[in-house]
Amino acid sequence: MLGLNRTHNLIQRPLVRYSSKFNYNSLPEESKKQLDRILRVDHAGEYGANRIYAGQMAVLGKTPVGPTIQHMWDQEKDHLKKFEELIPKYRARPSALLPLWDIGGYALGFGSALLGKEAAMAVTVAVESVITEHYNNQLRDLLEKNPEKHTEILEVIKQFRDDEQAHHDTGLEHEAEKAIFYRPLSEVVKAGCRAAVWVAERV
Amino acid sequence: MLFKRLILMPRLVKTSSICLKQERTYLAVSLLNNKLRLRQISFNNNQILRFESIGSTGPINEKIQTDTLNQNESNENEESVEEIILKNALKFVPEYGFTTEAISKGAMEVGLSSAAKGIFNNGAFDLIDFFYKHSNKNLEAYLENLIQEGKIKRKNELIRSAIVYRLTLIQPYIKHWPQAMAIQTFIPSNALVSIENLLKLCDQIWHQVGDNSIDINWYTKRLTLAAVYKTTELFMIQDKSENFKDTYEFLDNRLKDLGTFNQVKSNFSNLAQAVNGSLTVLRNVLNLRN
């Protein structure tokens, strides 16, 4: 009853009631709003990143770079799982455009991988650099006001920022810069990611 | 800034000190009208005595300032003057309805001038808004207890008792609730706040009952619950039956409808799976899989 049937779960989530463990109401009003935005966009971002790697794996899964991409994908899966826990906990609203991020991410991953391993890595580098920058901005915002209330989120974002930075470096190691049209490709992807971040914060 | 004004005010307070009660009223209202929140200043006797001595000058004045300042910092959880007034105003709602008169009466109840209603820019809507949020808070505590007790386990039963409890909170004011609903709905700026309140209510219920959906279900769950709650509320204001028996029956029927809706929805997702499956078969047949 009441929408309890969930057949489509990306990752099976345990059913937990958070109300007794953590006092959401003790957060100041502005923190609630801030965390709502942050968790929505980060969840959407990790969701999209997952789909990018899924698209890349569909093409490059059987090639020598397969395991590298798989490793990064596995880390993104962990990130996504974490945000799926945090969204109900902090009563954030998930992005309404998840189907769009799903298709968009997969298409980006799949399309870039078709252009070759270097182009796929170039996309990874571009995406991860925007995400790292975005996480850094969030850390700055969270530290600005009531940092003592945000310790959990701060820890999570710090760790994920480092992971994304590592993915960025992995991409560079795998000759991302040798991709065809590296500059324009990377700029277009970066602009697209920034636009997606802007939208996902809101919708 | 508050304290600067306190210093400027002694003369006014002195001239108007006809009796202690009036003096107190005057001081409080002037501060309120200047939009200075007396958040931490409660109206107990100690405080009044302090204000009485504001008329004198010199070191005593400074002492008062620092005293009040310390107090300001210490009590964070105390209610603001606005909340105190509105809480008391609710007592007068059965008699006066959700009106500014009720607010005035509420203000007088705590010893302020009836003109204190002037601090509420939206008039009656501020009272309704306060009532709504206050009731949401009560519901949260009630539901928390219910879950802690653990007698009711099933989610839909928890949701039902949450809606029933939330409706009982309105029942004392049922005579004036249609008027309140009109004020909530027909002024656009109020309507926006009211919709937000309603969605917050549904979000809160789902959260406490234990919902961790992070996809489109998040939206459908809250919107369907909002629809059920709002239609039942509408039904209740016309319900003449004893103890709102018909309302609860109506509610049960709406919840049943939702069950059917979800069945249909899950049938659709089965359909999606079937389509997906046949596509996989097709890809296998065409040898497109690695």
Side-chain angles (χ1 to χ4, degrees):
Chain A
M1 211 178 204
L2 285 176
L4 302 181
N5 295 319
R6 280 197 314 267
T7 40
H8 289 300
N9 276 355
L10 202 62
I11 294 164
Q12 200 64 44
R13 279 161 281 120
L15 212 63
V16 189
R17 291 196 173 113
Y18 292 102
S19 46
S20 50
K21 285 185 196 164
F22 155 81
N23 192 1
Y24 172 76
N25 288 330
S26 69
L27 288 172
E29 206 52 47
E30 54 184 336
S31 274
K32 288 180 190 170
K33 282 198 178 132
Q34 195 183 14
L35 291 174
D36 176 49
R37 274 169 76 115
I38 285 179
L39 288 174
R40 176 164 47 256
V41 64
D42 288 358
H43 170 252
E46 295 295 350
Y47 185 80
N50 259 283
R51 300 301 298 155
I52 294 178
Y53 286 118
Q56 293 185 349
M57 278 303 283
V59 179
L60 299 173
K62 299 271 157 65
T63 62
V65 285
T68 319
I69 298 178
Q70 185 66 48
H71 172 69
M72 297 195 281
W73 190 13
D74 289 343
Q75 279 187 329
E76 298 291 356
K77 279 180 189 163
D78 288 343
H79 295 181
L80 182 61
K81 206 168 159 189
K82 187 72 199 169
F83 281 120
E84 282 177 352
E85 277 168 30
L86 290 175
I87 279 196
K89 184 171 176 183
Y90 286 89
R91 302 198 193 180
R93 175 172 64 83
S95 171
L97 298 176
L98 286 179
L100 183 67
W101 311 137
D102 180 351
I103 299 166
Y106 194 84
L108 181 61
F110 196 89
S112 62
L114 284 180
L115 294 176
K117 168 202 131 195
E118 287 81 10
M121 286 301 170
V123 166
T124 304
V125 169
V127 171
E128 300 291 12
S129 77
V130 172
I131 293 187
T132 313
E133 175 193 308
H134 163 72
Y135 277 156
N136 275 332
N137 289 338
Q138 287 189 338
L139 288 173
R140 233 169 272 135
D141 290 346
L142 285 171
L143 284 168
E144 203 171 296
K145 271 179 193 163
N146 308 317
E148 71 284 354
K149 302 258 183 197
H150 306 145
T151 38
E152 186 188 8
I153 305 275
L154 279 170
E155 281 308 311
V156 168
I157 295 184
K158 255 183 229 165
Q159 191 213 323
F160 289 2
R161 190 255 335 254
D162 295 344
D163 287 350
E164 309 295 1
Q165 185 65 46
H167 296 174
H168 172 266
D169 298 344
T170 313
L172 286 181
E173 279 163 23
H174 285 80
E175 305 176 320
E177 283 163 320
K178 286 188 184 159
I180 44 163
F181 303 126
Y182 175 72
R183 288 261 153 244
L185 180 69
S186 128
E187 285 311 313
V188 167
V189 172
K190 276 184 188 170
C193 283
R194 288 202 188 98
V197 165
W198 189 88
V199 173
E201 271 180 352
R202 288 158 181 84
V203 187
Chain B
M1 205 168 79
L2 174 82
F3 307 112
K4 247 184 201 167
R5 280 174 208 271
L6 283 183
I7 299 167
L8 291 176
M9 219 152 356
R11 213 185 297 156
L12 293 170
V13 176
K14 243 181 186 171
T15 49
S16 72
S17 60
I18 305 160
C19 70
L20 181 120
K21 197 176 176 198
Q22 253 183 1
E23 185 177 318
R24 173 172 65 142
T25 311
Y26 180 80
L27 183 60
V29 171
S30 351
L31 291 167
L32 286 168
N33 281 342
N34 285 321
K35 279 273 166 193
L36 293 169
R37 306 182 105 206
L38 285 176
R39 184 178 282 279
Q40 280 78 22
I41 301 175
S42 49
F43 294 90
N44 55 29
N45 287 333
N46 286 340
Q47 208 78 41
I48 297 164
L49 284 176
R50 273 200 197 140
F51 279 119
E52 266 177 89
S53 52
I54 281 176
S56 50
T57 48
I60 301 169
N61 236 345
E62 277 161 32
K63 190 177 174 298
I64 295 163
Q65 290 167 32
T66 46
D67 276 3
T68 330
L69 193 67
N70 290 338
Q71 190 140 10
N72 273 353
E73 282 165 355
S74 59
N75 310 335
E76 280 252 316
N77 292 327
E78 230 169 272
E79 290 168 311
S80 69
V81 168
E82 283 95 331
E83 279 168 357
I84 295 171
I85 293 175
L86 291 175
K87 212 177 205 174
N88 282 284
L90 283 179
K91 291 180 200 159
F92 295 93
V93 167
E95 197 179 339
Y96 294 89
F98 288 92
T99 54
T100 41
E101 281 80 50
I103 301 180
S104 298
K105 291 282 175 191
M108 282 157 86
E109 178 88 353
V110 288
L112 291 168
S113 154
S114 62
K117 70 181 179 193
I119 56 171
F120 300 103
N121 289 333
N122 301 321
F125 181 69
D126 279 336
L127 179 57
I128 298 165
D129 190 50
F130 169 78
F131 171 61
Y132 211 104
K133 284 178 178 149
H134 188 64
S135 307
N136 284 359
K137 260 185 217 160
N138 285 344
L139 171 68
E140 190 167 7
Y142 168 82
L143 204 52
E144 182 73 52
N145 272 336
L146 204 65
I147 290 167
Q148 291 288 323
E149 273 178 20
K151 275 185 199 152
I152 307 177
K153 287 266 190 284
R154 293 185 55 192
K155 277 186 188 181
N156 40 7
E157 283 168 19
L158 279 172
I159 287 171
R160 186 187 180 276
S161 34
I163 298 179
V164 168
Y165 179 77
R166 185 66 178 73
L167 291 172
T168 54
L169 291 179
I170 301 173
Q171 282 161 9
Y173 311 105
I174 191 72
K175 206 176 108 201
H176 300 284
W177 194 240
Q179 168 205 17
M181 283 177 94
I183 296 174
Q184 280 179 314
T185 317
F186 292 119
I187 300 168
S189 60
N190 293 354
L192 281 180
V193 180
S194 306
I195 290 171
E196 201 190 324
N197 280 344
L198 174 65
L199 290 178
K200 270 199 181 142
L201 167 67
C202 297
D203 184 50
Q204 182 192 311
I205 293 176
W206 266 117
H207 179 81
Q208 286 191 292
V209 166
D211 164 50
N212 46 8
S213 53
I214 34 83
D215 46 14
I216 205 73
N217 278 325
W218 188 95
Y219 291 88
T220 51
K221 278 179 181 176
R222 276 146 189 83
L223 288 177
T224 47
L225 182 57
V228 169
Y229 177 76
K230 204 69 200 172
T231 45
T232 316
E233 197 184 9
L234 273 170
F235 188 91
M236 191 173 73
I237 58 174
Q238 306 170 56
D239 188 4
K240 297 276 190 298
S241 66
E242 211 178 307
N243 289 331
F244 299 97
K245 212 174 67 214
D246 290 354
T247 304
Y248 300 138
E249 203 186 317
F250 180 85
L251 173 64
D252 287 335
N253 287 337
R254 292 293 76 69
L255 290 172
K256 241 180 250 164
D257 288 352
L258 269 191
T260 328
F261 170 72
N262 280 311
Q263 246 168 13
V264 174
K265 213 176 72 177
S266 63
N267 284 348
F268 264 103
S269 53
N270 289 344
L271 184 73
Q273 272 178 345
V275 170
N276 210 350
S278 51
L279 279 179
T280 316
V281 172
L282 193 69
R283 274 164 70 197
N284 285 337
V285 170
L286 296 174
N287 207 7
L288 280 173
R289 297 194 94 176
N290 298 334

